[in-house]
Amino acid sequence: MEKRNKLIALFGASALSALLFGFAFKAFIQNNGLIFWILAGFSAILFLAIAVIVALLVKRPIFGFSVMAVDMAAMLIIFYEHFSLALLISFFVSAALLMFGYSRGQQDLKNNLNLRFIKTAESVLGPASSALAIFAILLYISMINLKDPTAAKQNLEIIAKPSETFVRPYIPNFSLQNSLNQIAAKLLPKELASAPQELKNQFIQESSIRLSEIVGNFTNLSVKSSDRVIDIIYKATIGRLLNLPALQQNLVLFAAGVFLFLLIRFALIFVNWISIGLAFGIYKILLAAGFCKIILQNQPKNVIVLE
């Protein structure tokens, strides 16, 4: 395979991995289930691993930078229906971080006589994983329309939807659309399964009242047993945020963004190590297939010495 075709292959593989991550992340936001967590995590690992391979094999900066820009453009297109200034900012910031990671990888290769795979991969993955984190955060922010309560509630449900997966082991078939009455019915003890309907209804009514009192005390809100979970979350978050002055609203959103960034960035520490392992496996396969090779170069260098 000619060198040009190999570069095109790397370009295509990187773009496809970016598209895969975009579709997987979108499915993760909009759907429930462990499978979507696994798919989003695997696609992030694959994207980061290929970013390492690109940094190792693509020596021309203009081509490497183009790959990173196209990757972010591919992710951006997938979320075109949520296009906003925040999403546009995420494109430029994330693309710049990916390019910075590529440059760090190239610089590490130039500054060392031997290939230090793990060290070079870490140089690339630090900025690259931050790019994914910032993209995810600004995408979430772009989904929140504070001026339209109906749209804001729908967007908030999209953001909070993954939490349903964690709650369902404790509340069967839990949904953000459930009212406190419905949750109380789901928590009906097995001992009452064969009890008269009047006794069941009494238990559900008393449980929903107690549940509304607990939630009301915790959120400091007036909560009714007929309120849905998403309504309570809305009143406790965006509802209160709307009552703040514009400056305080922006500060709260900024603080929430920083918190999400740190949370995602912490999770990506483990993703990075798996990505390094996958990248190393891909690197070995490419070496064995003759896609690339290691050669010895004698390069003169200018050094400063004492007279």
Side-chain angles (χ1 to χ4, degrees), residues 22-126:
F23 282 118
F25 189 65
K26 188 174 185 178
F28 163 74
I29 293 174
Q30 297 178 343
N31 298 281
N32 300 304
L34 182 61
I35 184 63
F36 296 103
W37 282 84
I38 296 174
L39 182 60
F42 173 76
S43 62
I45 290 169
L46 179 62
F47 174 78
L48 293 173
I50 292 181
V52 172
I53 298 298
V54 170
L56 286 173
L57 300 183
V58 177
K59 304 303 181 184
R60 296 175 61 185
I62 186 64
F63 190 86
F65 291 159
S66 299
V67 171
M68 303 308 166
V70 170
D71 287 349
M72 289 311 307
M75 294 184 198
L76 189 68
I77 291 172
I78 294 172
F79 294 94
Y80 69 92
E81 69 270 23
H82 299 293
F83 186 81
S84 65
L85 178 61
L87 201 56
L88 186 61
I89 292 173
S90 75
F91 166 78
F92 288 108
V93 174
S94 298
L97 283 171
L98 286 175
M99 294 176 188
F100 178 60
Y102 168 82
S103 298
R104 288 184 62 185
Q106 286 291 301
Q107 195 64 37
D108 189 78
L109 291 173
K110 292 178 181 177
N111 291 341
N112 295 282
L113 296 178
N114 296 316
L115 173 61
R116 304 184 304 172
F117 189 92
I118 293 179
K119 184 66 176 178
T120 302
E122 289 176 342
S123 299
V124 176
L125 291 179

Side-chain angles (χ1 to χ4, degrees), residues 119-245:
K119 184 66 176 178
T120 302
E122 289 176 342
S123 299
V124 176
L125 291 179
S129 58
S130 294
L132 290 186
I134 290 175
F135 176 79
I137 292 166
L138 292 180
L139 173 63
Y140 267 34
I141 292 176
S142 70
M143 289 181 174
I144 301 176
N145 183 0
L146 298 179
K147 297 180 180 180
D148 184 349
T150 302
K153 195 174 294 185
Q154 292 174 348
N155 293 331
L156 185 62
E157 184 174 1
I158 292 174
I159 294 172
K161 203 169 186 63
S163 64
E164 292 180 346
T165 303
F166 298 103
V167 180
R168 283 179 177 169
Y170 308 99
I171 303 177
N173 299 318
F174 172 79
S175 170
L176 295 172
Q177 293 292 334
N178 290 152
S179 67
L180 297 184
N181 273 326
Q182 291 172 322
I183 292 176
K186 294 176 185 291
L187 296 175
L188 187 70
K190 294 181 180 180
E191 293 79 6
L192 296 179
S194 58
Q197 189 62 42
E198 292 183 1
L199 185 58
K200 292 180 181 179
N201 292 339
Q202 181 181 357
F203 175 86
I204 293 172
Q205 183 179 6
E206 292 176 353
S207 297
S208 62
I209 292 174
R210 288 198 301 269
L211 189 58
S212 62
E213 290 175 351
I214 293 171
V215 174
N217 292 333
F218 179 76
T219 60
N220 198 25
L221 295 170
S222 177
V223 178
K224 298 180 293 184
S225 57
S226 59
D227 287 344
R228 299 178 303 165
V229 175
I230 189 62
D231 295 328
I232 298 171
I233 296 175
Y234 174 81
K235 289 189 291 185
T237 54
I238 297 178
R240 283 179 171 163
L241 185 62
L242 290 174
N243 294 326
L244 297 175

